[in-house]
Amino acid sequence: MSLIVEKYGGTSVGSPERIQVVAKNVAESVAKGDRVVVVVSAMSGETNRLLSLANEVNSKPSNRELDVLVSTGEQVTIALLAMALHSLGVGARSYTGPQVKILTDNIHGKARIVHIDSDKMMNDLNNDQVVVVAGFQGVDEGGSITTLGRGGSDTTAVALAAALKADECRIYTDVDGVYTADPRVVSEARRLGRITFEEMLELSGAGAKILQLRSVEFAGKYNVPLRVLSSFEGGPGTLITYEESSMEQPLISGITANMDEAKITVRGVPDKPGIAYSIIGAVSDAHINVDMIVQNVGSDGLTDFTFTVSGADLEKSVELLTPVVDKLDAQTVIGDTNLAKISVVGIGMRSHAGVATTMFQALADKSINIQMISTSEIKISVTVDKEYAELAVRTLHKAFGLEHLTNDLL
Ligand code: ADP
Ligand code: ASP
Ligand code: MG
């Protein structure tokens, strides 16, 4: 008898009919003899609807109250799914994140899970109940509701699977696995039968929203067997693997575009020790993640300092940097959202040179200008003008021959 955590995303629970389909899928796992914990997202569009409601009453709503508001989306789906399971004769009990209880830190809007109480869930499972848990939310030590960031239900699922030592965590979504690129952008994209944990980490970090980055981090930390599957059709999906295969690894496994990155440039900074610390420190002290960083070569003792943050953090970052610009005697701080970060990811890069050359040449052939470049051992990222994002992804997909990739060797 296996213990399985199944997670269904927004589109998968987007209507009463879809919720019934999900209930049937869960009932099938139960009929096989599995013990099942289900994590659900809000119905598709609901989180966005709630966020825009907030903006109608306050253009700068408090993060604490936003969490109280947006966590309600998932509360609707857990109850509906439990009811749908009941109508199939399957015992089920639903819980919000705080009820479980999923304890988090108090960084509203991007809280991190610090502890999960598995007793209540285990008790229900032992009484033949399906446990339905609201994704994306938890509670801090003070009792305030917190949320885990957009796409956070993936993280709830993987964290529950880790806490319960589940045999598998299945992420059911609206595509049938992880592809070489977003199949909505590249029609020739191929489903990967398996992908290494490290590649998935880089793809998620680079903005492929199929799995929230934190969920992949959790999976790696606790070795959670993780699979991405479709809730609309059958199929083996994509398995995230932890061992280096002895088979030859593809040079490139995936290409992704992150449209949600913003660039901040501090102009005319006196070039002296400590500027990187003053600028980046001011932003990261406010729990804002900094991604690519470029410090240009100075002239006349002045330099420009450029970095990227998530689009949602742009306004706050510029606000935080305004006093820093004064203190450093720099000229100005400028925010820019007209960019996309394009990343190519592949474990084969470790042993092959020339990936960057192929990438830059392919972009040059299409006259796509590269603004910033950053690399890791298995990833190369560049930023380009937003309007060229999709063209860049398609161009690179072709340049690396990914339409021919097959690794369905499970
Ligand atoms: P859910 O609501 O189930 O959490 P998401 O919208 O968060 O689903 O993630 C699934 C979407 O991720 C897909 O519909 C697809 O457009 C997008 N996506 C981006 N990159 C990839 C990729 N490499 N492989 C598969 N899907 C991808
Ligand atoms: N409902 C949340 C969101 O839309 C969490 C999730 O779906 O994973 O971001
Ligand atoms: Mg998602």
Side-chain angles (χ1 to χ4, degrees):
M1 194 162 72
S2 303
L3 200 167
I4 308 292
V5 175
E6 297 184 355
K7 178 256 169 177
Y8 294 89
T11 318
S12 303
V13 294
S15 66
E17 295 74 31
R18 285 297 316 162
I19 291 175
Q20 284 169 320
V21 171
V22 167
K24 269 198 202 123
N25 207 27
V26 173
E28 272 172 32
S29 302
V30 173
K32 274 187 213 142
D34 291 339
R35 293 185 295 167
V36 188
V37 174
V38 189
V39 173
V40 281
S41 291
M43 294 167 83
S44 55
E46 182 61 9
T47 308
N48 287 343
R49 187 186 73 87
L50 292 167
L51 286 170
S52 56
L53 266 182
N55 274 294
E56 279 181 42
V57 295
N58 188 329
S59 60
K60 282 196 177 158
S62 111
N63 287 338
R64 182 187 183 278
E65 302 313 322
L66 273 177
D67 279 356
V68 174
L69 177 72
V70 293
S71 61
T72 60
E74 272 71 9
Q75 189 167 348
V76 171
T77 28
I78 52 169
L80 290 175
L81 179 59
M83 291 171 193
L85 283 164
H86 295 164
S87 71
L88 298 176
V90 177
R93 284 167 70 85
S94 71
Y95 297 100
T96 64
Q99 284 172 324
V100 161
K101 93 189 216 189
I102 297 173
L103 188 69
T104 71
D105 62 19
N106 62 1
I107 314 301
H108 289 285
K110 45 177 134 173
R112 280 179 183 271
I113 297 175
V114 292
H115 182 74
I116 293 177
D117 239 337
S118 48
D119 292 359
K120 196 179 331 195
M121 289 184 285
M122 273 312 200
N123 197 28
D124 280 340
L125 291 172
N126 290 336
N127 286 311
D128 294 329
Q129 299 291 308
V130 169
V131 178
V132 184
V133 180
F136 174 60
Q137 53 183 262
V139 62
D140 71 10
E141 287 227 358
S144 294
I145 298 173
T146 55
T147 64
L148 311 179
R150 297 309 300 265
S153 299
D154 298 332
T155 301
T156 305
V158 178
L160 287 181
L164 294 162
K165 301 192 176 54
D167 296 286
E168 188 162 272
C169 180
R170 299 179 187 151
I171 306 289
Y172 285 97
T173 181
D174 53 8
V175 284
D176 65 342
V178 179
Y179 276 68
T180 48
D182 187 338
R184 291 178 211 291
V185 175
V186 183
S187 54
E188 297 83 26
R190 302 291 300 248
R191 183 181 57 82
L192 299 161
R194 59 193 162 77
I195 183 167
T196 66
F197 155 72
E198 286 138 304
E199 287 169 316
M200 196 63 238
L201 196 63
E202 292 281 17
L203 275 181
S204 288
K209 65 176 183 158
I210 180 89
L211 285 176
Q212 197 200 32
L213 176 59
R214 293 246 177 99
S215 73
V216 188
E217 288 171 352
F218 245 104
K221 193 164 168 195
Y222 297 99
N223 259 292
V224 176
L226 184 61
R227 197 182 279 277
V228 177
L229 305 131
S230 165
S231 70
F232 290 79
E233 56 190 294
T238 300
L239 182 71
I240 317 300
T241 60
Y242 297 95
E243 277 145 40
E244 289 264 318
S245 151
S246 53
M247 278 175 300
E248 196 173 344
Q249 300 286 351
L251 183 59
I252 301 299
S253 295
I255 299 176
T256 187
N258 186 356
M259 311 292 275
D260 175 45
E261 206 131 325
K263 184 168 75 176
I264 295 172
T265 303
V266 184
R267 282 260 156 80
V269 195
D271 196 359
K272 57 182 186 208
I275 59 168
Y277 170 68
S278 305
I279 294 170
I280 299 300
V283 176
S284 56
D285 283 352
H287 305 282
I288 292 171
N289 272 338
V290 171
D291 186 18
M292 298 167 108
I293 304 176
V294 176
Q295 186 181 335
N296 300 322
V297 178
S299 65
D300 300 333
L302 296 181
T303 186
D304 289 347
F305 193 94
T306 304
F307 61 96
T308 61
V309 296
S310 133
D313 290 327
L314 176 63
E315 205 183 314
K316 176 103 184 275
S317 305
V318 171
E319 233 170 62
L320 287 164
L321 284 171
T322 306
V324 178
V325 165
D326 282 345
K327 205 173 115 212
L328 291 176
D329 221 6
Q331 284 162 356
T332 181
V333 50
I334 305 163
D336 177 8
T337 52
N338 182 24
L339 71 149
K341 184 176 72 174
I342 313 296
S343 306
V344 302
V345 172
I347 217 152
M349 246 186 244
R350 277 195 188 132
S351 47
H352 284 83
V355 174
T357 315
T358 307
M359 181 175 188
F360 301 158
Q361 185 180 11
L363 294 174
D365 285 349
K366 295 280 180 196
S367 304
I368 300 173
N369 190 40
I370 297 172
Q371 305 167 347
M372 299 166 88
I373 301 171
S374 77
T375 60
S376 81
E377 209 191 356
I378 62 165
K379 181 184 71 180
I380 303 174
S381 301
V382 299
T383 61
V384 302
D385 215 272
K386 214 169 216 157
E387 68 174 298
Y388 297 120
E390 295 198 351
L391 176 64
V393 172
R394 286 194 204 107
T395 300
L396 294 172
H397 199 270
K398 205 164 190 63
F400 288 104
L402 295 189
E403 71 271 30
H404 305 300
L405 194 78
T406 45
N407 71 349
D408 229 344
L409 302 167
L410 295 173

